[in-house]
Amino acid sequence: YVNRPIWAALAMLVVAGGVSAQRVTHYDIAAVADSGLKSTVAIDLANYYSGIWLATGKGLQFSLDDGLTWLQYSSANGLVSNNVSAMNPVGNRLWVATNHNEPAGDQLATFSDGPSFTDDGGNLWTQIDFGSSGLNIPYVWGGDRTIFDITGMRDIDTYNNGVTVLMFFTAFAGGFLASRDGGVNWLRIFATPSDSVQFFTVGQPPSLRNRYFSCAADSSHGDSTFVWAGTAGGVFQYVYVQPREKLYS
């Protein structure tokens, strides 16, 4: 992870209700071979499928031979659109977020497509449906909701005797979303109840504290997971512990 300056901290969690995802938009098209580098501007890099992957404005570029050959995924062979704004592999799954441009008044505006993922190196892509036909979580798709960062981790769940896959992404004006089961169910997270009320107030733009840019999961604290989230109104620290360790028990 990139080290980011920390200038405020808060450990408090409020979540909105989550529902099961209905995954749609499947693709099964092979990567374009020997495409060369379409863009030298990479806003994110990852080690995935024994190769180096670049997130660019012209899709995903990746090399499996130390940069001798560059392959590509774009809207022509799997991605929802070409402009990739965030990327992160968690286990065998690679998560990406894409955006596209639409006219808004007399100018073009960037509209989020939400997150997509692949479990097999890009042969099959799945887009998470946050619309009314799927999760029905508002304010994830659309203008000013670019997903700027994705983080996650595999966590040993001693309480349930299993493995928990935690996922988080920041959708700027779409807020901060999290999943405890690898992307099947999602919750929107707020630092305080008043932030939740402000976010859903009709006619009010999101406050600075509800505009999320960055996130990073930290599992180095033993029985707790720390998740850092950067907003336009400060940096928050969310602390997750095993159910049996929580204060109410």
Side-chain angles (χ1 to χ4, degrees):
Y1 296 105
V2 177
N3 290 324
R4 298 183 174 92
I6 305 300
W7 57 280
L10 177 67
M12 188 172 181
L13 174 63
V14 178
V15 297
V19 291
S20 296
Q22 178 180 341
R23 293 170 177 162
V24 297
T25 314
H26 297 279
Y27 304 91
D28 192 5
I29 307 173
V32 176
D34 298 320
S35 61
L37 276 174
K38 299 294 185 181
S39 174
T40 57
V41 179
I43 59 92
D44 212 347
L45 300 96
N47 181 5
Y48 175 66
Y49 246 66
S50 301
I52 183 69
W53 293 64
L54 312 179
T56 78
K58 296 184 178 180
L60 287 176
Q61 304 251 232
F62 65 101
S63 175
L64 305 178
D65 55 10
D66 296 327
L68 295 177
T69 302
W70 287 96
L71 313 177
Q72 181 188 28
Y73 284 111
S74 67
S75 60
N77 64 333
L79 297 185
V80 180
S81 54
N82 291 334
N83 188 24
V84 181
S85 58
M87 169 182 64
N88 193 25
V90 179
N92 293 325
R93 176 166 292 181
L94 178 67
W95 290 88
V96 300
T98 59
N99 308 272
H100 65 278
N101 292 328
E102 289 185 17
D106 57 353
Q107 60 184 1
L108 286 177
T110 300
F111 282 71
S112 174
D113 303 314
S116 301
F117 66 85
T118 179
D119 291 325
D120 57 8
N123 289 318
L124 177 66
W125 288 94
T126 302
Q127 181 188 21
I128 299 294
D129 183 358
F130 286 102
S132 58
S133 62
L135 282 158
N136 198 27
I137 298 179
Y139 312 123
V140 181
W141 291 344
D144 296 325
R145 290 157 194 158
T146 298
I147 296 174
F148 285 116
D149 210 355
I150 299 173
T151 190
M153 57 171 289
R154 292 169 58 85
D155 185 33
I156 302 300
D157 187 347
T158 58
Y159 187 75
N160 295 311
N161 297 318
V163 176
T164 300
V165 180
L166 303 175
M167 291 300 308
F168 303 85
F169 68 80
T170 56
F172 188 56
F176 190 35
L177 277 83
S179 171
R180 293 183 297 179
D181 51 20
V184 177
N185 299 282
W186 292 88
L187 301 167
R188 181 174 272 113
I189 299 174
F190 300 98
T192 67
S194 60
D195 287 316
S196 175
V197 172
Q198 194 283 326
F199 185 88
F200 290 108
T201 300
V202 177
Q204 291 288 330
S207 66
L208 295 182
R209 289 161 56 101
N210 277 328
R211 302 188 185 204
Y212 281 81
F213 287 100
S214 57
C215 55
D218 177 7
S219 60
S220 64
H221 301 277
D223 61 352
S224 302
T225 298
F226 289 13
V227 178
W228 296 91
T231 77
V235 177
F236 296 91
Q237 180 195 68
Y238 297 98
V239 180
Y240 295 85
V241 299
Q242 299 288 347
R244 67 177 63 184
E245 303 297 335
K246 290 188 177 182
L247 295 178
Y248 59 68
S249 61

